[in-house]
Amino acid sequence: MPWQGLARRFPALGYRDFRLLLADRVLAPGAFAFSLVGVSFAVLDATGSTADLSYVLAAQILPSLVFALVGGVFADRFAPQKVIVAANLMIAGGEGGFGLLVLLGHPQLWQMIALETLSGAGMAVFYPASQALLPRLVPDSMLQEASAMSRLAMNAAQMAGAAIAGVFVAATGPGWALATCGIGMLGTVPLCWPSGRPALSGRSSPTCSATCATGGRRSPLAAGCGPPRSSTASFSPPGTARSTCSGPWSPGGIWAVPRPGA
């Protein structure tokens, strides 16, 4: 199916920031699946102890309980994209560092616990910010569709990544699998970095069918403005009417539209 037809079938795909988020939610879970497989084999290869494996896995899980509230505070106080980038960098450092230790030599138990604690803290910070970001990228009318697409992408990527990771670990070893996880998480940073466009806030789906004007000068829709959403009865300054314009690739805002005959 051509891209334009796919965008018409799923209007949320018309929003560039949502497409980037969707790409992140394919890459990040797929990369992290390499960690889910690699950590277990790396610990067992290094120590041969299932008890040590339980300590390392607990170090990854416990921060999710401890830092869950902190992650929510960060998501409220800072731009969600920046929080997601920071979280992904923490995961990349933890898993990539773990992989590097495995490739270079014999990692110590305390080192593995410390690195998995860093990864777990990153996951705890990531989830609240991820939940807060999606409603800012698409209008409310498309939120259910966007959420379903996002969840489907994440689940599919995680399952496919785990299957590939099993083969990858068998072929190359757990160290390379963990390093691949770190590289994949680094690859999500350009996808999540804030674009500078203002977030959407409770807007319904627009249909681009007009031009906007700023300061009395008209600019095409492709330049970043959408159709008028509503007009007010007041005209300020004289000779102009004020309309609210927004669109999938639009920053939105209040635009001054010359009144007919002005």
Side-chain angles (χ1 to χ4, degrees):
M1 181 182 295
W3 167 252
Q4 292 182 349
L6 188 63
R8 284 194 296 268
R9 176 64 181 83
F10 303 102
L13 293 175
Y15 292 79
R16 178 179 178 273
D17 285 344
F18 174 70
R19 296 198 302 271
L20 292 176
L21 177 68
L22 204 62
D24 168 70
R25 293 189 173 181
V26 170
L27 180 57
F32 193 73
F34 280 69
S35 168
L36 299 177
V37 178
V39 166
S40 298
F41 283 96
V43 175
L44 292 176
D45 286 348
T47 68
S49 170
T50 55
D52 290 344
L53 176 59
S54 67
Y55 299 149
V56 174
L57 294 179
Q60 185 187 91
I61 296 171
L62 287 178
S64 298
L65 303 176
V66 176
F67 293 106
L69 293 177
V70 176
V73 172
F74 286 163
D76 290 337
R77 290 182 174 269
F78 304 101
Q81 294 99 322
K82 293 182 179 180
V83 177
I84 291 174
V85 167
N88 286 352
L89 289 176
M90 293 170 69
I91 298 173
E95 302 304 325
F98 196 166
L100 188 61
L101 285 178
V102 173
L103 292 174
L104 293 180
H106 189 77
Q108 301 298 314
L109 178 61
W110 70 268
Q111 294 172 324
M112 294 185 285
I113 290 176
L115 290 171
E116 286 306 302
T117 300
L118 178 62
S119 294
M123 288 188 290
V125 172
F126 167 83
Y127 283 111
S130 177
Q131 293 174 356
L133 176 60
L134 184 57
R136 303 188 182 198
L137 303 184
V138 297
D140 289 346
S141 61
M142 299 181 188
L143 188 56
Q144 184 175 1
E145 173 190 308
S147 179
M149 294 173 64
S150 174
R151 179 58 59 182
L152 177 62
M154 291 179 67
N155 291 341
Q158 189 169 9
M159 290 187 291
I164 296 171
V167 177
F168 192 85
V169 169
T172 65
W176 285 111
L178 292 168
T180 300
C181 174
I183 294 171
M185 297 305 295
L186 286 176
T188 66
V189 172
L191 301 175
C192 299
W193 193 256
S195 63
R197 286 183 294 274
L200 296 175
S201 178
R203 299 175 184 166
S204 58
S205 173
T207 302
C208 291
S209 60
T211 58
C212 298
T214 57
R217 294 173 298 176
R218 291 187 178 276
S219 60
L221 288 171
C225 63
R229 295 290 305 281
S230 63
S231 297
T232 62
S234 60
F235 300 96
S236 175
T240 64
R242 300 185 69 81
S243 299
T244 303
C245 300
S246 61
W249 292 275
S250 166
I254 303 298
W255 304 83
V257 182
R259 194 172 51 188

